Amino acid sequence: MKAAVIHEFKGKLDIIDIPIPEIKPKDVLVKIHACGVCHTDLHACHGDWPVKPKMPLVPGHEGVGEIVSVGSEIHHLNLGDRVGIPWLYSACGQCEYCLDGRETLCLDQDNAGYSVDGSYAEYCRANGEYVVKIPDGLSYVDAAPLFCAGVTTYKALKVSEVKPGQWVAIVGAGGLGHLAIQYAIAMGMNVIAVDTGDEKLALAKELGATHCIDFMKVKPSEEIQQLVGGVHGVICTAVTQAAFGEAFKSVRRGGTCVLVGLPPEEMPIPIFDTVLGGIKVVGSIVGTRKDIQECLQFAAEGKVKAVIEEKRLDQINEILDDMIRGEITGRIVMKIS
Ligand code: NAD
Ligand code: ZN
Ligand code: ZN
């Protein structure tokens, strides 16, 4: 099968032929139709994080397709089922986190396109218990970005505990952020979007953000404090330390700062302001299988739709170069077969 494989950190991906994976009793084999390109894939290819991916690696954790082979111990899935293979490739199923519905915190998990090969390929092996079915009426291409960008921002908004009618700021209106804006509005929140460039800010406006702030032109936190007296919650999906500092300063007293983007740096937090303001700072990592089902349902009902540019697998190196330059509006989805 054709796959995009990276052999060394910061190298180029090679489009090469590798064997179709063999499945074990708890696995399914998925013929990949489409896969979104997440900024996490770029971190993986660059070896940015303290925990390194396997190498060589087939990246990709927004892969969707049809099941073409079902392991002997998987009874709830059938040939032809339309599924996605999320970042949470598998978890132990037995630890305190798995048992109480926080499976994304499991210490014994595998991650698609990171610790195991992912969906930048014509076929992908998946754990049958962790794939999620795509609702009827939602196309493969539209579904793909929801398996990471969609569920991650949907979950982060839940974690923010911002209520309908309150203000949320989305710092970084890229692949994740442009979906965060839509989920926030579908959940009844008022949105302030922060990013740069006419195209991204125009899209944020079109998607329903009340205020759109260009971080290259003004200090977003000052603007947000002036506009609404600080937001009740902020979701930071940007990939720079500076953005996290601005996100923190954008919340009002009692507000929540949700960290989602994963730059390798640290985030300095002023203790005095955090204590006196009763500010909560919390990390949020993707979402559970249940979160994915919920977030897909929003799209199936037409309340959320990723803004997508379709490309091919053999364009992956240029896609990642565009991502480094910050030149992608919405999400790139590679059509694979
Ligand atoms: P992206 O490149 O599509 O979007 C990032 C956006 O941030 C871009 O639009 C960029 O212009 C903007 N930006 C850069 N500097 C900014 C600043 N100072 N202020 C505001 N905006 C700024 O990337 P993505 O695919 O949306 O991923 C974003 C990050 O989220 C990555 O670090 C990725 O690894 C991480 N991520 C985390 C999770 C999770 O579960 N926590 C899940 C998926 C992705
Ligand atoms: Zn992702
Ligand atoms: Zn577990």
Side-chain angles (χ1 to χ4, degrees):
M1 67 171 185
K2 214 164 48 157
V5 184
I6 183 154
H7 290 90
E8 54 176 354
F9 293 133
K10 300 206 162 106
K12 292 281 170 208
L13 284 90
D14 300 315
I15 309 294
I16 53 174
D17 266 309
I18 58 171
I20 294 176
E22 282 172 20
I23 62 164
K24 299 194 198 77
K26 281 191 172 3
D27 292 336
V28 293
L29 185 67
V30 180
K31 180 171 193 234
I32 299 296
H33 284 243
C35 183
V37 180
C38 180
H39 205 116
T40 291
D41 302 335
L42 187 59
H43 292 304
C45 292
H46 285 186
D48 279 342
W49 296 338
V51 178
K52 306 292 175 197
K54 75 182 271 288
M55 207 47 67
L57 172 74
V58 179
H61 56 273
E62 289 186 351
V64 292
E66 66 183 288
I67 293 182
V68 292
S69 183
V70 182
S72 58
E73 289 175 27
I74 294 296
H75 305 296
H76 68 293
L77 295 169
N78 293 303
L79 293 179
D81 281 354
R82 299 176 347 119
V83 297
I85 308 165
W87 173 254
L88 188 68
Y89 179 91
S90 66
C92 82
Q94 299 302 329
C95 69
E96 65 175 286
Y97 305 111
C98 285
L99 290 176
D100 75 0
R102 294 182 294 161
E103 62 199 23
T104 57
L105 304 184
C106 177
L107 284 157
D108 187 13
Q109 63 178 275
D110 269 313
N111 299 115
Y114 207 85
S115 65
V116 296
D117 282 339
S119 294
Y120 284 11
E122 289 175 312
Y123 294 87
C124 186
R125 173 170 53 210
N127 183 311
E129 283 168 3
Y130 288 83
V131 297
V132 176
K133 280 198 203 177
I134 300 167
D136 292 341
L138 191 58
S139 74
Y140 283 123
V141 168
D142 282 340
L146 305 178
F147 276 85
C148 178
V151 69
T152 298
T153 51
Y154 171 64
K155 177 71 166 208
L157 287 159
K158 284 203 213 175
V159 168
S160 79
E161 294 185 340
V162 174
K163 298 187 176 56
Q166 294 186 333
W167 286 99
V168 68
I170 308 299
V171 176
L176 265 62
H178 92 284
L179 281 162
I181 295 169
Q182 298 184 55
Y183 279 105
I185 287 169
M187 292 156 96
M189 302 170 191
N190 299 318
V191 175
I192 300 177
V194 181
D195 208 304
T196 191
D198 293 345
E199 207 178 324
K200 285 184 199 171
L201 295 176
L203 175 63
K205 192 88 201 160
E206 205 178 299
L207 296 173
T210 309
H211 304 288
C212 299
I213 297 173
D214 191 330
F215 71 84
M216 297 288 266
K217 294 189 178 153
V218 296
K219 249 182 150 345
S221 60
E222 286 173 9
E223 189 83 0
I224 290 170
Q225 291 295 345
Q226 206 186 343
L227 281 167
V228 301
V231 285
H232 299 87
V234 57
I235 313 294
C236 187
T237 74
V239 196
T240 65
Q241 191 188 45
F244 282 77
E246 281 301 296
F248 178 85
K249 286 190 254 168
S250 300
V251 293
R252 66 174 67 186
R253 288 194 157 193
T256 305
C257 180
V258 186
L259 317 188
V260 171
L262 283 159
E265 296 104 21
E266 305 208 329
M267 177 184 180
I269 295 172
I271 297 168
F272 186 82
D273 294 343
T274 309
V275 172
L276 270 78
I279 292 165
K280 296 180 274 295
V281 178
V282 55
S284 186
I285 176 75
V286 292
T288 64
R289 290 165 284 182
K290 181 66 169 45
D291 294 317
I292 296 173
Q293 286 176 348
E294 291 170 15
C295 104
L296 290 170
Q297 192 56 32
F298 275 75
E301 290 167 9
K303 294 171 183 154
V304 159
K305 191 176 188 338
V307 172
I308 288 164
E309 190 182 342
E310 286 180 26
K311 299 228 170 174
R312 299 184 313 270
L313 187 62
D314 61 19
Q315 293 176 294
I316 183 59
N317 289 305
E318 34 189 288
I319 298 169
L320 294 178
D321 286 344
D322 285 346
M323 187 172 271
I324 292 168
R325 289 191 296 264
E327 282 171 5
I328 296 171
T329 299
R331 197 57 138 191
I332 304 284
V333 173
M334 300 184 292
K335 277 192 95 164
I336 294 180
S337 45

